[in-house]
């Protein structure tokens, strides 16, 4: 950039954070806290011909932080949280599970009508940890600076680099290097979270106490229905069985019994049959067809026609076709309608359709009306602006951060990992996270640092009230056990 193209000092962006005081009662105890929300300016060291040009603004990243008043920083944990997508703001974890206020959205079969509700979250993780919610560039109110290129932030490596910088910056500015520190990520946020933990640890010596990985996407080979990759068909099967069970296609059989059968079949006979290809005998093929049909609730004819390989969007479209319904990908408990029931792939995910309105409405009210932050930009809840997302670092290889998670755990033997999975999550199936964890390159003694939690709900398991209450208790216990105080 030529010198005369540089922004003038008066045009240089500045932080626009606002703070407000609040309180909430948790278990009979009143917690007074400070909420700080707004955009912080990220800067990058710039050099020209070996000469240092200064720290140049590159992005304005929106965050919301909650800190308990009067707490001793060295004893007070802090959790950095974000969702995934790529292209999702942090609104889901913020107003669905962790924050001091939560949206009342309803659940599968009983959605709340607009204008929805916003209530105190008596199970907020703020009772155990300060919270910092981060919106990646092009989501929420986060944007590249004037003259900057948003695409520079829309990729695996860039995303890890600048969100790591947000965490380092917040930690330094708030003197929290000696606090117990945690990362909480959901979906692609688990991809991001595992990689950020390894980066901050290796680059700056910032060691974390724990990672909270919700609805994991750490090894895309377990999720990618690409030609020749048989693994996802087996790993999605127990989820298909759980969804079929929810919709009454397994009669009165207990869910645990159905899951045990589906998991055993998927891990042995089914994956073996897929790997046989055209070597599979007629009898073995018919046996596989029949078992798949019984477990998934699909017709034997359909299973046979798709050559034993049930792709997930096709499943969500096919399962309840006879009832003129589709089921959700993010949460298979939800159902929706289509204009055309002959289509192969549903036109939208009914589970996302059901919860986007409540979360978007609550967030837009909350930031202005309760936290006092004013911004006329649209708050991007789910943004397509991040596409195409760059995975150039994985050229000719599948995307995985399992190696980074394992490296972080081997280096920091005190790092604990909490994995949360929903049985009805058709985006990141629970068997997929089980598979990745079972293949982590860590010594046996570190496996005790990993705990697994399962819920009878979907990707955002906290939409289901019993699961939200249990998950909140599970996370509070994890923070307490991992803080080493």
């Amino acid at each position: 950039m030529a010198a005369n193209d540089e922004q003038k000092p008066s045009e240089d962006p500045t932080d626009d954070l606002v703070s407000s005081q609040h309180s909430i009662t948790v278990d009979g105890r009143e917690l007074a806290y400070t909420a700080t929300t707004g955009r912080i300016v990220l800067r990058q060291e710039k050099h020209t011909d070996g000469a240092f040009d200064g720290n140049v603004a590159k992005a304005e990243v929106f965050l919301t932080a909650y800190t308990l008043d009067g707490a001793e920083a060295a004893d007070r944990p802090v959790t950095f949280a974000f969702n995934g997508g790529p292209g999702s703001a942090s609104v889901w974890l913020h107003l669905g599970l962790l924050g001091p206020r939560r949206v009342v959205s309803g659940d599968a079969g009983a959605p709340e009508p607009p204008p929805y509700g916003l209530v105190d979250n008596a199970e907020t993780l703020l009772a155990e940890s300060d919270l910092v919610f981060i919106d990646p560039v092009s989501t929420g109110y986060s944007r590249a600076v004037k003259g900057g290129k948003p695409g520079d932030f829309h990729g695996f490596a860039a995303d890890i680099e600048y969100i790591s910088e947000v965490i380092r910056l917040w930690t330094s500015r708030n003197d929290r290097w000696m606090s117990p520190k945690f990362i909480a990520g959901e979906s692609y946020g688990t991809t991001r979270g595992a990689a950020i933990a390894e980066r901050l640890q290796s680059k700056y010596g910032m060691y974390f106490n724990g990672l909270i990985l919700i609805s994991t996407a750490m090894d895309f080979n377990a999720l990618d229905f690409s030609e020749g990759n048989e693994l996802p068909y087996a790993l999605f099967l127990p989820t298909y069985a759980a969804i079929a069970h929810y919709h009454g296609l397994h009669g009165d059989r207990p869910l645990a019994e159905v899951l045990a059968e589906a998991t055993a079949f998927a891990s042995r006979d089914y994956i073996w049959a897929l790997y046989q290809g055209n070597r599979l005998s007629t009898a073995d093929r018919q046996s596989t067809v029949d078992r798949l049909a019984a477990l998934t609730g699909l017709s034997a004819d359909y299973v046979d026609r798709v050559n034993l390989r049930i792709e997930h969007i096709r499943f969500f479209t096919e399962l309840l076709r006879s009832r003129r319904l589709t089921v959700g990908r993010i949460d298979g408990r939800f159902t929706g309608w289509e204009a055309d029931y002959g289509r192969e792939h549903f036109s939208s995910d009914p589970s996302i359709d059901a919860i986007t309105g409540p979360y978007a409405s609550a967030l837009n009210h909350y930031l202005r009306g309760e936290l006092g932050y004013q911004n006329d930009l649209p708050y991007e809840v789910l943004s397509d602006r991040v596409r195409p997302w760059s995975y150039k670092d994985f050229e000719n290889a599948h995307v995985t951060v399992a190696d980074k998670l394992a490296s972080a755990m081997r280096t920091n033997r005190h790092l604990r990992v909490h994995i949360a999975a929903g049985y009805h999550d058709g985006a990141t199936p629970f068997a997929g996270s089980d598979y990745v964890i079972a293949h982590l390159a860590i010594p046996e003694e570190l496996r005790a640092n990993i705990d697994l939690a399962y819920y009878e709900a979907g990707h955002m398991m906290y939409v289901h009230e019993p699961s939200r209450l249990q998950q909140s208790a599970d996370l509070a216990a994890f923070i307490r056990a991992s803080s080493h105080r």
Side-chain angles (χ1 to χ4, degrees):
M1 181 180 290
N4 59 1
D5 290 331
E6 296 280 354
Q7 286 186 327
K8 297 177 182 178
S10 61
E11 296 177 336
D12 200 44
T14 58
D15 297 354
D16 64 359
L17 299 171
V18 297
S19 294
S20 52
Q21 306 305 126
H22 308 266
S23 67
I24 185 172
T25 300
V26 177
D27 291 332
R29 179 168 61 112
E30 184 176 0
L31 303 178
Y33 64 92
T34 298
T36 302
T37 190
R39 305 202 296 182
I40 65 170
V41 179
L42 284 190
R43 300 180 183 275
Q44 183 176 33
E45 294 184 10
K46 186 177 179 183
H47 298 80
T48 302
D49 296 329
F52 179 55
D53 293 337
N55 292 318
V56 179
K58 59 179 182 176
E60 298 173 274
V61 177
F62 184 77
L63 57 79
T64 302
Y66 300 98
T67 53
L68 190 67
D69 295 344
E72 182 64 38
D75 296 326
R76 178 69 175 166
V78 58
T79 300
F80 300 92
F82 33 70
N83 280 86
S88 176
S90 62
V91 57
W92 314 102
L93 287 177
H94 188 174
L95 295 186
L97 178 64
L98 304 179
R101 298 279 279 165
R102 67 178 180 87
V103 63
V104 179
S105 64
D107 196 6
E112 287 290 315
Y116 316 111
L118 191 63
V119 299
D120 279 350
N121 180 11
E123 294 75 34
T124 175
L125 195 62
L126 183 61
E128 304 293 338
S129 171
D130 290 344
L131 303 168
V132 182
F133 297 95
I134 302 168
D135 289 344
V137 170
S138 299
T139 76
Y141 289 131
S142 297
R143 302 290 189 271
V145 296
K146 181 180 179 180
K149 296 180 179 179
D152 290 345
F153 301 90
H154 300 162
F156 173 84
D159 181 79
I160 301 308
E161 180 180 354
Y162 81 81
I163 296 184
S164 294
E165 178 63 7
V166 172
I167 294 173
R168 185 201 67 81
L169 199 59
W170 191 94
T171 302
S172 296
R173 288 180 176 179
N174 291 275
D175 192 19
R176 300 301 293 271
W177 276 81
M178 297 298 285
S179 299
K181 290 178 285 297
F182 295 83
I183 290 175
E186 181 177 285
S187 194
Y188 186 83
T190 65
T191 314
R192 175 185 291 133
I196 284 175
E198 190 277 334
R199 175 182 171 82
L200 285 172
Q201 180 175 289
S202 61
K203 188 173 179 63
Y204 298 115
M206 182 183 285
Y207 281 41
F208 286 83
N209 291 68
L211 296 179
I212 296 168
L213 305 177
I214 300 171
S215 303
T216 60
M218 288 189 292
D219 187 336
F220 286 22
N221 201 43
L223 306 172
D224 182 13
F225 289 90
S226 58
E227 185 69 28
N229 183 18
E230 307 285 26
L231 189 58
Y233 297 106
L235 294 179
F236 274 73
L237 178 59
T239 296
Y240 295 161
I243 294 172
H245 177 274
Y246 180 84
H247 292 290
L249 300 177
H250 282 281
D252 58 0
R253 293 183 67 193
L255 176 61
E257 180 182 300
V258 172
L259 289 176
E261 180 186 350
T263 300
F265 178 66
S267 60
R268 290 183 179 272
D269 295 349
Y270 182 36
I271 195 68
W272 174 84
L274 293 176
Y275 273 74
Q276 295 310 301
N278 59 18
R279 297 169 296 181
L280 194 64
S281 71
T282 300
D284 284 336
R285 179 185 174 87
Q286 187 59 53
S287 173
T288 304
V289 166
D290 293 342
R291 290 290 300 281
L292 283 173
L295 287 167
T296 63
L298 301 172
S299 71
D301 177 64
Y302 180 84
V303 173
D304 185 54
R305 283 188 283 116
V306 299
N307 196 25
L308 315 180
R309 291 160 177 83
I310 305 165
E311 191 276 333
H312 68 324
I313 303 299
R314 297 174 82 182
F315 172 81
F316 307 136
T317 310
E318 181 67 24
L319 181 66
L320 301 182
R321 190 186 298 273
S322 63
R323 303 182 195 175
R324 298 297 190 265
L325 293 171
T326 58
V327 301
R329 173 177 178 263
I330 292 295
D331 192 329
R333 299 174 305 124
F334 286 79
T335 60
W337 297 295
E338 284 287 346
D340 175 3
Y341 292 99
R343 67 171 75 240
E344 268 273 90
H345 303 104
F346 59 30
S347 58
S348 66
D349 181 344
S351 51
I352 286 291
D353 293 345
I355 62 176
T356 297
Y359 278 80
S361 297
L363 191 285
N364 277 279
H365 155 72
Y366 179 57
L367 293 179
R368 283 181 177 266
E370 298 190 21
L371 300 189
Y373 181 76
Q374 309 294 319
N375 197 315
D376 287 339
L377 286 171
Y379 186 91
E380 297 281 352
V381 172
L382 291 169
S383 175
D384 287 330
R385 296 183 180 186
V386 304
R387 308 195 189 286
W389 190 259
S390 172
Y391 291 108
K392 64 181 180 181
D393 304 82
F394 298 95
E395 189 172 356
N396 298 321
H398 70 269
V399 178
T400 182
V401 294
D403 56 336
K404 296 184 182 298
L405 175 59
S407 174
M409 294 184 70
R410 292 194 306 266
T411 302
N412 174 11
R413 65 177 59 209
H414 301 292
L415 179 65
R416 296 190 60 185
V417 181
H418 176 87
I419 306 286
Y423 289 133
H424 302 104
D425 176 4
T428 57
F430 70 92
S433 63
D434 291 349
Y435 174 86
V436 173
I437 294 302
H439 289 79
L440 276 184
I442 56 175
E444 189 62 31
E445 53 263 43
L446 290 184
R447 295 202 176 275
N449 287 10
I450 302 173
D451 63 79
L452 306 173
Y454 304 91
Y455 305 93
E456 291 188 29
H459 195 72
M460 297 153 178
M461 56 282 294
Y462 40 86
V463 171
H464 177 238
E465 183 66 3
S467 295
R468 184 187 71 81
L469 295 173
Q470 183 61 55
Q471 186 172 27
S472 297
D474 292 343
L475 294 182
F478 177 74
I479 295 290
R480 289 193 297 268
S482 306
S483 294
H484 306 301
R485 295 299 193 200

